[in-house]
Amino acid sequence: METAAMWSEKLAAITGWENPTARVIDWPSVEARLGVALPTDYKQLAQWFGSGAFDGFLQLSTPDTPGPHHDLIKYAEWLGSRAAADSSIGDLFSPHPVFPATGGLLRWADSVQADQFFWLTDSADPDRWPILAQPHDDVAAGWERFDGSTSEFIYRVLTDPQQSFSIACFFDTHTFESYEQISEPDPEWDADPHW
Protein backbone atom coordinates (compact mmCIF):
# COMPACT_ATOMS: atom_id res chain seq x y z
CA MET A 1 0.00 0.00 0.00
CA GLU A 2 1.35 3.40 -0.96
CA THR A 3 1.74 6.00 1.76
CA ALA A 4 0.93 9.69 1.43
CA ALA A 5 4.68 10.45 1.27
CA MET A 6 5.08 8.01 -1.63
CA TRP A 7 2.32 9.81 -3.58
CA SER A 8 4.10 13.13 -2.97
CA GLU A 9 7.33 11.64 -4.32
CA LYS A 10 5.52 10.23 -7.36
CA LEU A 11 4.00 13.64 -8.03
CA ALA A 12 7.41 15.30 -7.83
CA ALA A 13 8.84 12.64 -10.14
CA ILE A 14 6.21 12.94 -12.90
CA THR A 15 6.38 16.73 -12.93
CA GLY A 16 10.17 16.80 -12.84
CA TRP A 17 9.88 19.26 -9.98
CA GLU A 18 13.20 19.92 -8.32
CA ASN A 19 13.14 22.68 -5.77
CA PRO A 20 16.36 22.71 -3.79
CA THR A 21 15.11 25.69 -1.78
CA ALA A 22 11.99 24.05 -0.40
CA ARG A 23 9.81 26.50 1.49
CA VAL A 24 10.02 26.63 5.23
CA ILE A 25 6.53 27.06 6.64
CA ASP A 26 5.81 27.70 10.30
CA TRP A 27 3.05 25.09 10.53
CA PRO A 28 2.26 25.65 14.24
CA SER A 29 1.61 29.32 13.43
CA VAL A 30 -0.42 28.51 10.30
CA GLU A 31 -2.52 25.96 12.15
CA ALA A 32 -3.03 28.35 15.07
CA ARG A 33 -4.27 31.04 12.67
CA LEU A 34 -6.66 28.58 11.04
CA GLY A 35 -7.68 27.01 14.33
CA VAL A 36 -7.23 23.50 12.94
CA ALA A 37 -4.41 21.07 12.13
CA LEU A 38 -3.80 20.31 8.44
CA PRO A 39 -3.12 17.01 6.65
CA THR A 40 0.49 15.85 6.90
CA ASP A 41 0.60 15.07 3.18
CA TYR A 42 -0.59 18.56 2.25
CA LYS A 43 2.06 20.17 4.44
CA GLN A 44 4.77 18.23 2.60
CA LEU A 45 3.29 19.28 -0.77
CA ALA A 46 3.11 22.92 0.26
CA GLN A 47 6.75 22.90 1.32
CA TRP A 48 7.99 21.06 -1.77
CA PHE A 49 5.95 22.87 -4.39
CA GLY A 50 4.48 26.04 -2.90
CA SER A 51 1.58 27.76 -4.61
CA GLY A 52 1.25 27.00 -8.31
CA ALA A 53 -0.41 24.99 -11.06
CA PHE A 54 -0.08 21.34 -12.01
CA ASP A 55 -0.29 20.95 -15.81
CA GLY A 56 -1.63 24.50 -15.97
CA PHE A 57 -4.88 23.16 -14.52
CA LEU A 58 -5.01 22.34 -10.82
CA GLN A 59 -3.89 25.30 -8.71
CA LEU A 60 -2.52 24.45 -5.27
CA SER A 61 -3.15 26.98 -2.50
CA THR A 62 -0.61 27.40 0.28
CA PRO A 63 -0.25 29.74 3.27
CA ASP A 64 1.18 33.24 2.81
CA THR A 65 1.30 33.49 -0.98
CA PRO A 66 1.66 36.77 -2.92
CA GLY A 67 -2.09 37.02 -3.67
CA PRO A 68 -5.13 36.02 -1.59
CA HIS A 69 -6.75 33.81 -4.24
CA HIS A 70 -4.13 31.10 -3.73
CA ASP A 71 -3.45 31.83 -0.07
CA LEU A 72 -4.98 29.01 1.96
CA ILE A 73 -5.60 31.15 5.06
CA LYS A 74 -6.77 34.38 3.42
CA TYR A 75 -9.14 32.53 1.13
CA ALA A 76 -10.58 30.48 4.01
CA GLU A 77 -11.15 33.66 6.02
CA TRP A 78 -12.72 35.43 3.04
CA LEU A 79 -15.06 32.58 2.10
CA GLY A 80 -15.99 31.85 5.72
CA SER A 81 -16.93 35.47 6.38
CA ARG A 82 -18.90 35.70 3.12
CA ALA A 83 -20.82 32.50 3.90
CA ALA A 84 -21.56 33.68 7.45
CA ALA A 85 -22.84 37.04 6.20
CA ASP A 86 -24.92 35.73 3.29
CA SER A 87 -26.78 32.42 3.60
CA SER A 88 -27.21 32.20 -0.18
CA ILE A 89 -23.42 31.82 -0.49
CA GLY A 90 -23.40 29.08 2.14
CA ASP A 91 -26.21 27.37 0.19
CA LEU A 92 -23.84 26.91 -2.76
CA PHE A 93 -21.91 24.40 -0.65
CA SER A 94 -24.94 22.49 0.67
CA PRO A 95 -25.26 20.13 2.43
CA HIS A 96 -21.90 21.02 3.97
CA PRO A 97 -21.06 24.08 6.05
CA VAL A 98 -18.16 26.32 5.09
CA PHE A 99 -15.02 26.38 7.24
CA PRO A 100 -14.52 27.58 9.99
CA ALA A 101 -17.85 25.99 10.89
CA THR A 102 -17.41 22.62 12.57
CA GLY A 103 -16.89 19.96 9.91
CA GLY A 104 -16.82 22.69 7.26
CA LEU A 105 -15.32 22.72 3.78
CA LEU A 106 -11.78 24.12 3.59
CA ARG A 107 -10.58 24.84 0.05
CA TRP A 108 -7.02 23.75 -0.74
CA ALA A 109 -7.09 24.06 -4.56
CA ASP A 110 -9.11 25.13 -7.55
CA SER A 111 -8.79 24.69 -11.29
CA VAL A 112 -8.35 27.16 -14.10
CA GLN A 113 -11.91 26.15 -15.07
CA ALA A 114 -13.16 27.24 -11.62
CA ASP A 115 -13.65 23.72 -10.23
CA GLN A 116 -13.07 23.77 -6.48
CA PHE A 117 -11.34 21.21 -4.28
CA PHE A 118 -11.99 21.07 -0.54
CA TRP A 119 -11.26 18.99 2.50
CA LEU A 120 -14.30 18.06 4.54
CA THR A 121 -12.95 18.84 8.02
CA ASP A 122 -15.23 16.33 9.74
CA SER A 123 -12.59 14.44 11.74
CA ALA A 124 -10.22 15.38 14.54
CA ASP A 125 -7.52 13.65 12.46
CA PRO A 126 -6.87 15.79 9.36
CA ASP A 127 -5.13 12.86 7.67
CA ARG A 128 -8.57 11.24 7.49
CA TRP A 129 -10.33 14.21 5.85
CA PRO A 130 -11.94 13.25 2.55
CA ILE A 131 -11.59 15.49 -0.47
CA LEU A 132 -14.81 16.88 -1.92
CA ALA A 133 -14.75 18.42 -5.38
CA GLN A 134 -17.34 20.58 -7.04
CA PRO A 135 -17.47 21.25 -10.79
CA HIS A 136 -17.80 24.89 -11.74
CA ASP A 137 -20.46 24.31 -14.38
CA ASP A 138 -22.82 21.93 -12.59
CA VAL A 139 -23.19 22.68 -8.88
CA ALA A 140 -26.52 20.83 -8.92
CA ALA A 141 -24.68 17.61 -9.84
CA GLY A 142 -23.40 17.44 -6.29
CA TRP A 143 -20.07 16.62 -4.78
CA GLU A 144 -17.43 14.16 -5.94
CA ARG A 145 -15.76 12.46 -2.97
CA PHE A 146 -12.21 11.10 -2.85
CA ASP A 147 -10.94 9.15 0.15
CA GLY A 148 -7.18 9.47 -0.11
CA SER A 149 -4.38 11.96 0.38
CA THR A 150 -4.10 15.32 -1.31
CA SER A 151 -1.07 14.28 -3.37
CA GLU A 152 -2.73 11.04 -4.45
CA PHE A 153 -5.75 13.03 -5.64
CA ILE A 154 -3.55 15.41 -7.67
CA TYR A 155 -1.54 12.51 -9.09
CA ARG A 156 -4.70 10.73 -10.20
CA VAL A 157 -6.18 13.88 -11.74
CA LEU A 158 -3.02 14.20 -13.82
CA THR A 159 -2.60 10.55 -14.80
CA ASP A 160 -5.80 8.49 -14.35
CA PRO A 161 -8.47 8.95 -17.04
CA GLN A 162 -11.01 7.27 -14.74
CA GLN A 163 -10.54 9.85 -11.97
CA SER A 164 -13.12 12.64 -11.68
CA PHE A 165 -11.73 15.93 -13.02
CA SER A 166 -9.00 14.00 -14.84
CA ILE A 167 -6.94 15.78 -17.46
CA ALA A 168 -4.91 12.64 -18.28
CA CYS A 169 -6.13 12.52 -21.88
CA PHE A 170 -4.69 15.98 -22.58
CA PHE A 171 -1.11 15.55 -21.34
CA ASP A 172 1.63 12.98 -21.95
CA THR A 173 4.09 14.85 -19.76
CA HIS A 174 3.36 16.77 -16.60
CA THR A 175 4.54 20.06 -15.18
CA PHE A 176 4.33 22.30 -12.17
CA GLU A 177 4.48 26.09 -12.55
CA SER A 178 5.24 28.03 -9.38
CA TYR A 179 3.18 31.13 -8.63
CA GLU A 180 5.70 32.15 -6.01
CA GLN A 181 7.97 33.72 -8.59
CA ILE A 182 5.42 36.50 -9.06
CA SER A 183 7.17 39.65 -7.94
CA GLU A 184 4.19 42.00 -7.80
CA PRO A 185 0.64 41.01 -6.84
CA ASP A 186 -2.09 42.19 -9.22
CA PRO A 187 -4.14 44.76 -7.24
CA GLU A 188 -7.25 44.32 -9.40
CA TRP A 189 -7.25 40.54 -9.02
CA ASP A 190 -6.24 40.61 -5.36
CA ALA A 191 -8.96 43.07 -4.36
CA ASP A 192 -11.45 40.19 -4.56
CA PRO A 193 -10.33 36.54 -4.42
CA HIS A 194 -12.82 35.62 -7.19
CA TRP A 195 -14.21 32.44 -5.81
Side-chain angles (χ1 to χ4, degrees):
M1 184 170 151
E2 294 183 90
T3 65
M6 291 169 71
W7 286 110
S8 297
E9 291 166 6
K10 288 175 73 169
L11 194 53
I14 65 163
T15 59
W17 183 248
E18 294 179 12
N19 188 1
T21 57
R23 298 176 77 213
V24 176
I25 298 174
D26 181 354
W27 290 114
S29 173
V30 166
E31 292 170 332
R33 288 163 58 198
L34 279 171
V36 67
L38 293 169
T40 306
D41 166 76
Y42 165 78
K43 292 190 278 190
Q44 183 177 18
L45 276 176
Q47 288 190 178
W48 281 7
F49 290 93
S51 174
F54 291 91
D55 286 0
F57 172 74
L58 191 145
Q59 302 175 116
L60 181 66
S61 296
T62 59
D64 303 320
T65 61
H69 182 72
H70 294 109
D71 186 300
L72 181 79
I73 298 171
K74 289 177 185 168
Y75 191 86
E77 291 170 346
W78 177 83
L79 182 57
S81 66
R82 294 276 312 256
D86 183 346
S87 63
S88 66
I89 291 172
D91 291 345
L92 296 173
F93 302 95
S94 180
H96 308 289
V98 173
F99 185 84
T102 303
L105 295 168
L106 176 57
R107 194 191 78 167
W108 58 271
D110 65 335
S111 80
V112 294
Q113 295 177 333
D115 307 308
Q116 298 190 76
F117 307 102
F118 299 87
W119 294 298
L120 182 62
T121 62
D122 63 349
S123 169
D125 179 359
D127 292 332
R128 297 178 59 92
W129 290 347
I131 291 170
L132 295 184
Q134 187 179 62
H136 80 287
D137 58 351
D138 193 4
V139 175
W143 295 93
E144 295 279 344
R145 181 181 173 119
F146 180 80
D147 291 297
S149 72
T150 306
S151 56
E152 180 184 359
F153 178 82
I154 296 171
Y155 184 87
R156 292 190 183 281
V157 165
L158 301 185
T159 64
D160 182 355
Q162 304 304 312
Q163 175 69 39
S164 297
F165 301 93
S166 176
I167 56 171
C169 65
F170 301 113
F171 298 96
D172 293 328
T173 59
H174 305 284
T175 62
F176 179 78
E177 175 190 2
S178 174
Y179 291 164
E180 302 201 355
Q181 308 307 317
I182 300 169
S183 58
E184 295 292 326
D186 181 341
E188 261 183 58
W189 177 264
D190 294 342
D192 183 349
H194 302 285
W195 65 282

